[in-house]
Amino acid sequence: MTRLLLLGSLLLASVAAAAEVCEAPRSRDTAPLATAAAQDKVLANAFEKAATACAERGPACDQARLECGGLVTSIVQKQVGFDDGLWLRDMLLPYQGKSYVLSRSFGPVPMASDASCNVDVATLNAAALRRTKQATRRDNLLSEYQLYVRWSQDQFAQCKARVAADDKRSAEAKAESERVAAAAAAASATAAAAAAAKRAQEDEARRRAEEAARAQDEARKRQEEQARVQREAQEEAKRRQEEKARAQQDAAERQREEQERAKAEAAAAAAVAAEARVVAQREAEKEAARKQKDELYAQAQAEEEAAANAAEQKSDALKKKAAGIEVKDDDERARGNVSVMAVGGMLNAWAGTSATTTFAMGAGLAAHLGFWGTAPASGMASGFELRLSGRFVQTMSGPSANALEGMITGRYFFGRFGVGAAGALRFYDTFQSQSFDAGASLGFAFMDTPRTRVLLALNWLPLGTSMDYTRFAGDFEVSYRYFTAHAHAGILTTTINMQNTLGWEVGVALGARLGW
């Protein structure tokens, strides 16, 4: 029986194996590839012509560039999305389980992407060479693909011949398979009847064994239930006996605790009475000591007040004498100050705003430190000054814009005249853009004392984020005691709507200062 089934399976497998399907050859239209090669040759010729004509500048060069540009625009648009790798992939993929052997090598080459003729002669020659190589590659692909098409058609013909032979063998195998299947069916029916009788005997024996096992299991469960009931009765009697003993022990414990509590309360009352006596005596002693101490303090204070009055009178006399002495320090320069100011002014094309004039307001801070020598008999002292200033302004009219600006200057003053360097850092429109400027700084001090300061400063800032030789910033300061006023102005070149524009600003700042 097993041998019959095995033989039938082998026959069916041979029939299935004979069902070979001949896949039609993959042949792609070569017209787009031929067109692309011809277009590459046209572009190569156009690049060469433009390179030759542009060996010298002139009308012929311009005309050649114009014609070349028209061809490049037209052909590049036509070749958008074109991929000559499609034909190469067809030849590399196996067909009918076989691989086509290329007669030449086609390595990976980037697509030529030259899209402009407005370049130098060397670039035009290089573009012509790239397009010539690309045209040669595509011509070779076209020739190789024609050889591949003939090879795939030969493979297809061979496959069809094999299929015809396989069909004949399949018909013979099918007839033999049907005969073997009939014999196997007859043998299978006889074996099935014998197996059914055997299964019936086994089922009856199994049923009797299961009934005997169930009877034994029920008897075991009844015995276990009787043992459980007896065990629970014994545990209940033991639990009641333990509860009775525990109740008697709790009653004895409560009685002992009540006796100990009564003794402790009596001892505590005696201790409270003794402590009250000690506290009363201690408080009386403390009160007597405080009274004596207060009397001594009162006596000492009276003596101190008498001495203080005499010292105060002497101190007032010395202060009046000191106030009458005038120290003439007009020859000394201000060591430093810190100022807080309100700022207002007009802006025009300032740092990217529109070319219209706008009004802006804000707040500012300023500080300076001076390191001065001794003043000569006539004139001002020389020395180094470091000045730091910053301000934030927001436009009140016109396009909305804001700026955060800071400047640091270091100048050495030769008497009234100072020279040094300056640097400025600016952030515009809430830190969306910024610039850094640096350059020279000049200063002239009309007056500079610890109380009064009148100073003119001019800063030229051509260096920084961009070169701008028109960038100037000036400041005129007038300060007296706690008041300060500044007038400032500046110009720079800014870009608005892709055009360079000369921007300017003028403004004033008023505020308070702390000088020393």
Side-chain angles (χ1 to χ4, degrees):
M1 178 64 184
T2 302
R3 286 195 295 272
L4 290 174
L5 291 175
L6 180 60
L7 180 59
S9 299
L10 292 174
L11 290 173
L12 290 175
S14 65
V15 173
E20 179 181 1
V21 179
C22 293
E23 178 186 0
R26 296 185 299 270
S27 58
R28 194 181 300 274
D29 186 10
T30 58
L33 182 60
T35 301
Q39 291 171 346
D40 289 335
K41 294 174 183 177
V42 171
L43 280 184
N45 186 43
F47 283 129
E48 290 177 354
K49 182 178 179 182
T52 302
C54 291
E56 295 181 359
R57 296 290 299 173
C61 175
D62 296 336
Q63 181 63 28
R65 288 181 187 273
L66 182 62
E67 294 176 0
C68 175
L71 287 173
V72 168
T73 301
S74 173
I75 292 176
V76 168
Q77 289 178 351
K78 293 176 182 178
Q79 289 189 355
V80 170
F82 179 77
D83 182 11
D84 56 18
L86 298 175
W87 289 270
L88 180 59
R89 283 192 288 274
D90 285 348
M91 293 185 287
L92 295 177
L93 291 175
Y95 173 68
Q96 297 288 347
K98 298 180 180 180
S99 296
Y100 173 70
V101 179
L102 296 172
S103 63
R104 67 197 78 192
S105 175
F106 296 94
V109 178
M111 298 283 289
S113 59
D114 304 283
S116 174
C117 296
N118 294 323
V119 294
D120 55 67
V121 173
T123 304
L124 288 171
N125 286 326
L129 180 60
R130 284 192 289 272
R131 286 292 178 174
T132 300
K133 289 183 177 179
Q134 184 164 279
T136 303
R137 170 186 166 85
R138 289 175 173 173
D139 284 339
N140 292 337
L141 274 174
L142 181 60
S143 300
E144 189 70 25
Y145 197 78
Q146 292 171 351
L147 296 175
Y148 165 75
V149 170
R150 288 197 295 270
W151 174 83
S152 62
Q153 290 173 351
D154 292 343
Q155 296 297 320
F156 182 66
Q158 295 174 12
C159 178
K160 291 179 67 176
R162 288 195 302 272
V163 169
D166 291 342
D167 289 344
K168 181 178 179 181
R169 288 193 298 271
S170 297
E172 296 173 354
K174 182 178 179 181
E176 181 64 19
S177 175
E178 291 175 351
R179 185 187 65 76
V180 172
S188 177
T190 303
K198 183 177 180 181
R199 281 197 300 274
Q201 294 176 355
E202 292 174 351
D203 291 342
E204 178 64 20
R206 188 183 304 108
R207 182 184 62 77
R208 292 177 180 177
E210 289 175 353
E211 289 179 353
R214 279 198 297 273
Q216 292 178 357
D217 187 57
E218 290 176 356
R220 179 182 57 76
K221 289 181 179 179
R222 285 194 297 271
Q223 291 176 358
E224 290 177 353
E225 181 65 19
Q226 292 175 357
R228 184 185 62 78
V229 172
Q230 184 177 5
R231 185 172 57 256
E232 289 179 354
Q234 292 175 353
E235 291 176 354
E236 179 65 20
K238 182 179 180 181
R239 184 182 61 78
R240 291 177 179 176
Q241 184 176 3
E242 290 176 351
E243 288 180 353
K244 182 177 180 182
R246 192 162 44 252
Q248 293 175 352
Q249 183 178 0
D250 291 344
E253 185 69 23
R254 283 195 298 273
Q255 183 177 5
R256 184 172 61 257
E257 289 177 355
E258 290 177 356
Q259 293 174 354
E260 291 178 354
R261 188 183 303 112
K263 293 180 180 178
E265 290 176 353
V272 168
E275 184 178 359
R277 289 191 299 271
V278 173
V279 169
Q281 183 179 358
R282 184 192 62 198
E283 293 299 321
E285 293 174 352
K286 286 166 59 178
E287 184 63 26
R290 288 194 185 99
K291 183 177 180 180
Q292 184 181 5
K293 185 177 180 180
D294 291 342
E295 291 175 352
L296 294 174
Y297 271 132
Q299 182 180 354
Q301 185 174 2
E303 294 178 356
E304 288 176 357
E305 288 177 355
N309 289 334
E312 184 177 358
Q313 292 175 1
K314 184 177 180 181
S315 175
D316 290 342
L318 294 174
K319 288 179 180 178
K320 289 179 181 180
K321 184 177 180 180
I325 299 174
E326 181 179 358
V327 179
K328 294 182 178 182
D329 58 355
D330 291 342
D331 61 318
E332 296 182 3
R333 303 187 69 161
R335 297 293 181 180
N337 67 50
V338 177
S339 305
V340 179
M341 299 165 287
V343 181
M346 305 298 291
L347 308 176
N348 181 274
W350 185 258
T353 62
S354 67
T356 59
T357 302
T358 58
F359 176 67
M361 292 185 66
L365 297 172
H368 95 273
L369 288 174
F371 305 91
W372 310 108
T374 302
S378 63
M380 291 186 177
S382 299
F384 178 75
E385 178 190 71
L386 182 66
R387 187 172 188 274
L388 178 65
S389 62
R391 61 177 176 169
F392 176 81
V393 294
Q394 171 72 47
T395 56
M396 299 289 106
S397 63
S400 177
N402 59 65
L404 176 62
E405 302 177 344
M407 179 176 290
I408 183 170
T409 59
R411 292 185 289 257
Y412 188 87
F413 277 82
F414 300 91
R416 295 181 181 275
F417 181 74
V419 61
L425 181 62
R426 299 182 175 92
F427 297 94
Y428 304 110
D429 296 329
T430 316
F431 299 97
Q432 292 187 9
S433 62
Q434 64 277 334
S435 67
F436 172 75
D437 313 319
S441 177
L442 300 177
F444 185 81
F446 296 92
M447 183 178 294
D448 189 6
T449 70
R451 291 173 297 281
T452 305
R453 181 175 170 86
V454 180
L455 188 140
L456 175 64
L458 178 63
N459 302 302
W460 180 44
L461 307 168
L463 307 177
T465 306
S466 62
M467 299 297 292
D468 182 5
Y469 296 100
T470 65
R471 189 183 294 119
F472 287 89
D475 179 83
F476 183 66
E477 175 186 357
V478 177
S479 299
Y480 180 70
R481 291 187 180 274
Y482 302 108
F483 170 78
T484 184
H486 292 254
H488 60 266
I491 60 173
L492 54 72
T493 299
T494 186
T495 302
I496 298 179
N497 298 327
M498 306 300 291
Q499 294 182 354
N500 290 334
T501 303
L502 185 64
W504 55 265
E505 65 154 347
V506 294
V508 295
L510 301 175
R513 74 160 193 157
L514 177 62
W516 60 90

